[in-house]
Amino acid sequence: MTGPTRRRLLGGALSAAAVASMWPLPARAAKLPATPRQTAGPFYPPTLPADADTDLVMVLGRDAPAQGTVLNLAGRVLAADGRPIDGARVDLWQCDAMGRYHHPRDGGGADANFQGFGRMVTGPGGGYGFRTIRPVPYPGRTPHIHFMVAVPGRDALTTQMYVAGDPGNAGDFIYGRLSEAQRALVTVALAPSGAEADALAGTFDIVLAG
């Protein structure tokens, strides 16, 4: 899909990134707790999809949107002293609304209208934004979204984001390895989005250690 329609659909995620970059920063005197590292799992794409932008709900060249509830997810990449990090590459990947990944090891059959992976680079305000779907559970896992943040001169951070209040959190073995304080750093409350009908919105700031 090209032209004004696609630009309109991309607006939610891109505007979210712009808003994130304008949020007030934490006081630099206080050291922020680092976002905990978590497994990348087996389903990081072996090759990037042709469409790897910030709108995972609409795939270039397809007319129908992805199945699932739209989620406008935004946040900032920050240093431990609260400084926003410019030039951080943020990768996001997750399963579709049926619990399947676009990955050869997941057996195929994933929603062809769901991009499954997105990438962007933060600007001076450290902000990022993606238009995706609310994550869903699949056997053995509570709903989650994978993130990888890469900054030149640092080891890449891989982590996962979880949905506050989801009943599957208590039994998830990866979530359960985290301390209570660490869980708070990767658990995000979702609420209705004012920017898009029937959509949700959430904020997930990522703090890099060191």
Side-chain angles (χ1 to χ4, degrees):
M1 181 176 291
T2 59
T5 300
R6 181 162 178 80
R7 287 194 293 271
R8 175 178 58 80
L9 291 168
L10 284 171
L14 297 180
S15 61
V19 170
S21 69
M22 295 187 291
W23 289 333
L25 295 173
R28 294 194 181 185
K31 186 173 181 179
L32 299 176
T35 301
R37 293 182 178 274
Q38 294 215 281
T39 175
F43 298 130
Y44 184 87
T47 58
L48 298 189
D51 190 3
D53 62 13
T54 59
D55 185 358
L56 282 68
V57 177
M58 294 299 302
V59 175
L60 188 65
R62 303 188 69 89
D63 294 329
Q67 299 180 53
T69 300
V70 172
L71 170 61
N72 290 301
L73 186 61
R76 297 165 296 174
V77 178
L78 303 171
D81 62 1
R83 290 180 299 105
I85 297 182
D86 185 1
R89 192 195 77 208
V90 182
D91 291 355
L92 175 155
W93 69 102
Q94 65 183 103
C95 68
D96 67 10
M98 289 85 69
R100 290 192 172 275
Y101 287 86
H102 286 290
H103 194 284
R105 292 181 62 185
D106 203 24
D111 182 4
N113 294 320
F114 181 55
Q115 193 169 291
F117 176 93
R119 170 176 285 181
M120 69 166 293
V121 176
T122 62
Y128 74 85
F130 292 95
R131 183 172 181 259
T132 184
I133 61 171
R134 186 198 189 281
V136 302
Y138 55 84
R141 292 305 317 275
T142 195
H144 62 282
I145 297 177
H146 298 268
F147 282 82
M148 182 184 295
V149 180
V151 177
R154 293 174 177 257
D155 291 336
L157 169 70
T158 300
T159 191
Q160 298 179 30
M161 186 211 87
Y162 301 87
V163 177
D166 193 281
N169 291 348
D172 188 271
F173 70 104
I174 294 178
Y175 189 74
R177 292 173 182 167
L178 299 172
S179 68
E180 185 175 351
Q182 289 175 321
R183 290 175 196 165
L185 299 175
V186 294
T187 306
V188 173
L190 304 183
S193 171
E196 190 172 353
D198 301 320
L200 298 172
T203 302
F204 181 43
D205 287 345
I206 299 171
V207 180
L208 304 185

